[in-house]
Amino acid sequence: MARKAADAAIGACKKELIERGTRAGRKVVLVPPAYTTMTCSACGERANLRLGLGIRTFECAACGYTACRDRNAARTILATAERDRASADDVRHLIASFRDGGSGAVRAGNPGPGPGGNPPDPSVGIVKTAPSG
């Protein structure tokens, strides 16, 4: 029961974020969190071993990049959101969005066509919301 309640809360939070971003005229990009702490934000190389929660510094074996683990993950998420590559998950999500009437959000790397079928405007950023209240 608790898992269902948590899933519903996450779904409601995503829906609210998408709605607020759309009202603000921003593009909302849903980025899957898998491997974001294991991927180097400088070169894109993925570490072979999972980083334990006690390890607070990310060090890339391929290029030598070193950063705070959370900062590296945030940069990796940003790079994933800005990528122009589509995957099967992206297509499935778009099909589901069309069935549901569209959520206004896109999956990472699949921004879809912009107005008039043109590529999207690269100046459109990721939604940044301020606390309400």
Side-chain angles (χ1 to χ4, degrees):
M1 194 70 154
R3 177 183 275 170
K4 288 182 181 181
D7 287 346
I10 290 170
C13 182
K14 280 184 184 179
K15 183 177 179 181
E16 183 68 22
L17 179 64
I18 292 167
E19 287 175 5
R20 286 181 184 226
T22 304
R23 275 187 293 189
R26 299 295 223 156
K27 177 178 75 171
V28 179
V29 180
L30 303 176
V31 177
Y35 306 111
T36 55
T37 57
M38 295 173 55
T39 305
C40 178
S41 61
C43 70
E45 186 72 24
R46 187 179 298 165
N48 292 334
L49 302 174
R50 237 179 237 288
L51 299 175
L53 292 176
I55 301 171
R56 302 308 308 160
T57 304
F58 175 83
E59 296 174 10
C60 180
C63 69
Y65 176 74
T66 302
C68 167
R69 170 193 176 124
D70 296 332
R71 183 177 304 269
N72 178 66
R75 287 178 46 144
T76 301
I77 290 170
L78 180 62
T80 303
E82 291 176 343
R83 227 178 323 159
D84 292 332
R85 197 174 67 210
S87 69
D89 266 352
D90 301 332
V91 174
R92 276 195 297 269
H93 178 73
L94 283 177
I95 291 169
S97 290
F98 291 138
R99 266 189 242 134
D100 299 337
S103 67
V106 294
R107 295 284 295 213
N110 190 12
N118 296 327
D121 182 6
S123 64
V124 177
I126 294 176
V127 173
K128 297 178 183 176
T129 60
S132 59

